[in-house]
Amino acid sequence: MQQMVAGAPATVLVVEDDEHLNLALVETLQAYGYSTLSAYNGREALELLRGNRPDVIVCDIAMPVMDGYTFLQHTRTEPEWRLLPFIFLTARMTVEDQRRAKAIGVEDYLSKPIDARDLVAAIENALNRQRLMTAEIERNMDNLRNRIVGLLQHEFRTPLTFILGYAELLATSESEGLNAEEMRLAASAILAGGRRLQQQIDIFLVLAELQNHTLDPNVVESINAWSLWSDILRDLAGSEQLGPLPVELNDQNQDVNIKVDVRLIDEALRQLYGYVQRTHRPDATVIKCSVEHHFPFAGLAIYCDSVEPPPPPPAAHLEHANGRAATVSEADMDLGLTLAQSVASVHGGKLTIEHSAAHTVACTLWLLNAEER
């Protein structure tokens, strides 16, 4: 009996160097109701992807020209291919092979010779997971929109209250009794509130841009992560926004590259730095920035040895690097952190905020697909 895919037939890209096995897989999948594409090595498959969008990729590991691992790594570094489900075919799968495949992001693997029912089951599982992932992304976007609405009420009203309060004071007859110092303080408060409000509006505009944002391949570029951190800190120092604390940039992992929209990552890192500046306590002594590397993730991290975060809301949507839910969820309380989290999500990564009982904080922007030069 043929298995038909619901709605339009799903398209499966078969990448197998054995001509006879390739043909057999294509004919089998077509008999089960799938649409198919085929290639004989990773390089041919990459060329096919430039003009076609399969729903699932079924790929041999050991192939000439470009093997399955290399092909998979290429797909994971391109925004438009990053979430394509991958099923590996292999004549031999060691524990190390399994570990490597999972680290890169393979959905499943099947041992040769391939049973047609096992192959179809693996494809259907991959398609179901993809549908669940898409639905989860939509739910997260809805939650983000709801959080932004709540944040706007707090983040916009607070500086606006300062501005209006001091402006009303200066506009009333009571202002006639103010001395020069009191007038200066009122004007300074209005200026500070205006600047804060301008910053929040700028953040909101970027968040609005990210609501339905997908990475444009034309603006994504490969850049050295350590150099990016260094350039941002140098720019902050030049504009006198570095703050009073000494800032250190760890010299480890200087060879890690990331493929990103540099404008968005730059903005996200500045927001993380601004968060640490706003929340550090008087006894803080240092801010440390670094690049972490846990393949296939690169982490751009910032640490401070003493901060006083705002009280957490009941929700908890951030994650620690090990995947456990964080006990403190600051992004609901800070528009800048919400922006950083959104930028991470657009890049297939995540934002982690880790506070300790000793009042330290480590904020890390984890980005999928670290590359080494």
Side-chain angles (χ1 to χ4, degrees):
M1 173 182 284
Q2 291 185 356
Q3 173 171 334
M4 300 301 294
V5 183
T11 299
V12 182
L13 170 58
V14 175
V15 190
E16 166 62 57
D17 64 308
D18 184 295
E19 183 177 349
H20 298 293
L21 180 54
N22 190 310
L23 179 60
L25 289 170
V26 166
E27 290 180 345
T28 298
L29 292 174
Q30 289 176 350
Y32 275 86
Y34 297 98
S35 176
T36 59
L37 300 166
S38 70
Y40 293 97
N41 57 63
R43 183 171 298 172
E44 286 186 12
L46 283 176
E47 290 302 317
L48 263 178
L49 286 180
R50 300 191 192 286
N52 301 273
R53 172 77 185 198
D55 298 294
V56 181
I57 297 175
V58 175
C59 182
D60 188 19
I61 293 179
M63 295 182 294
V65 184
M66 181 185 290
D67 66 12
Y69 289 124
T70 306
F71 173 47
L72 175 57
Q73 286 177 301
H74 277 287
T75 66
R76 294 304 184 246
T77 59
E78 295 295 334
E80 68 269 34
W81 305 333
R82 183 169 286 161
L83 298 180
L84 285 175
F86 240 87
I87 299 170
F88 266 167
L89 306 179
T90 179
R92 179 182 61 87
M93 178 62 78
T94 66
V95 173
E96 181 58 32
D97 290 330
Q98 295 178 28
R99 186 179 297 114
R100 183 179 179 188
K102 289 178 180 178
I104 303 173
V106 72
E107 287 282 320
D108 204 348
Y109 56 86
L110 298 173
S111 298
K112 298 177 181 179
I114 309 299
D115 184 284
R117 291 167 298 180
D118 292 338
L119 177 59
V120 170
I123 291 172
E124 286 301 305
N125 286 336
L127 290 171
N128 287 333
R129 284 193 291 269
Q130 187 73 1
R131 283 190 283 268
L132 290 173
M133 184 185 301
T134 301
E136 181 64 22
I137 291 173
E138 288 297 322
R139 282 194 295 271
N140 288 338
M141 292 304 296
D142 288 339
N143 291 336
L144 177 60
R145 281 187 282 268
N146 292 334
R147 289 201 301 272
I148 290 174
V149 171
L151 280 166
L152 292 179
Q153 297 178 11
H154 169 75
E155 298 279 8
F156 281 7
R157 286 180 178 175
T158 299
L160 191 58
T161 299
F162 274 94
I163 295 170
L164 294 176
Y166 281 103
E168 288 174 359
L169 173 64
L170 295 176
T172 62
S173 58
E174 297 177 7
S175 64
E176 297 177 0
L178 299 178
N179 59 38
E181 179 60 19
E182 290 171 331
M183 294 281 284
R184 187 190 66 79
L185 290 175
S188 295
I190 291 172
L191 183 60
R195 286 173 175 168
R196 179 62 177 163
L197 187 59
Q198 182 182 31
Q199 292 172 356
Q200 299 304 84
I201 290 173
D202 290 341
I203 293 173
F204 171 73
L205 292 175
V206 178
L207 280 170
E209 174 190 345
L210 290 172
Q211 285 303 289
N212 296 303
H213 188 80
T214 57
L215 289 180
D216 182 353
N218 295 319
V219 301
V220 171
E221 59 182 289
S222 181
I223 188 171
N224 181 263
W226 190 90
S227 295
L228 177 60
W229 244 142
S230 178
D231 290 344
I232 291 172
L233 296 176
R234 187 182 302 110
D235 182 65
L236 290 173
S239 59
E240 299 183 351
Q241 297 178 36
L242 208 57
L245 295 178
V247 179
E248 302 174 2
L249 178 57
N250 191 305
D251 60 3
Q252 294 181 344
N253 296 319
Q254 293 190 32
D255 59 348
V256 175
N257 288 349
I258 50 178
K259 201 165 188 178
V260 295
D261 182 330
V262 176
R263 176 182 66 88
L264 293 179
I265 299 300
D266 181 284
E267 183 62 38
L269 292 176
R270 290 172 188 269
Q271 293 303 326
L272 292 182
Y273 192 90
Y275 170 74
V276 171
Q277 285 285 23
R278 290 193 299 277
T279 59
H280 75 73
R281 306 196 318 174
D283 62 341
T285 63
V286 68
I287 292 174
K288 296 180 180 180
C289 301
S290 63
V291 175
E292 309 298 323
H293 188 204
H294 300 289
F295 185 82
F297 287 92
L300 292 102
I302 182 168
Y303 165 90
C304 185
D305 60 355
S306 184
V307 298
E308 197 67 66
H317 62 269
L318 298 181
E319 293 182 318
H320 287 301
N322 62 11
R324 292 183 292 105
T327 56
V328 177
S329 178
E330 291 81 12
D332 279 327
M333 301 295 289
D334 189 291
L335 204 58
L337 291 186
T338 300
L339 184 148
Q341 184 198 23
S342 300
V343 170
S345 298
V346 164
H347 286 82
K350 61 186 177 183
L351 171 66
T352 61
I353 309 283
E354 297 181 83
H355 285 280
S356 74
H359 297 285
T360 67
V361 66
C363 307
T364 308
L365 192 70
W366 292 101
L367 303 170
L368 187 61
N369 304 316
E371 302 174 348
E372 291 188 23
R373 288 186 298 187

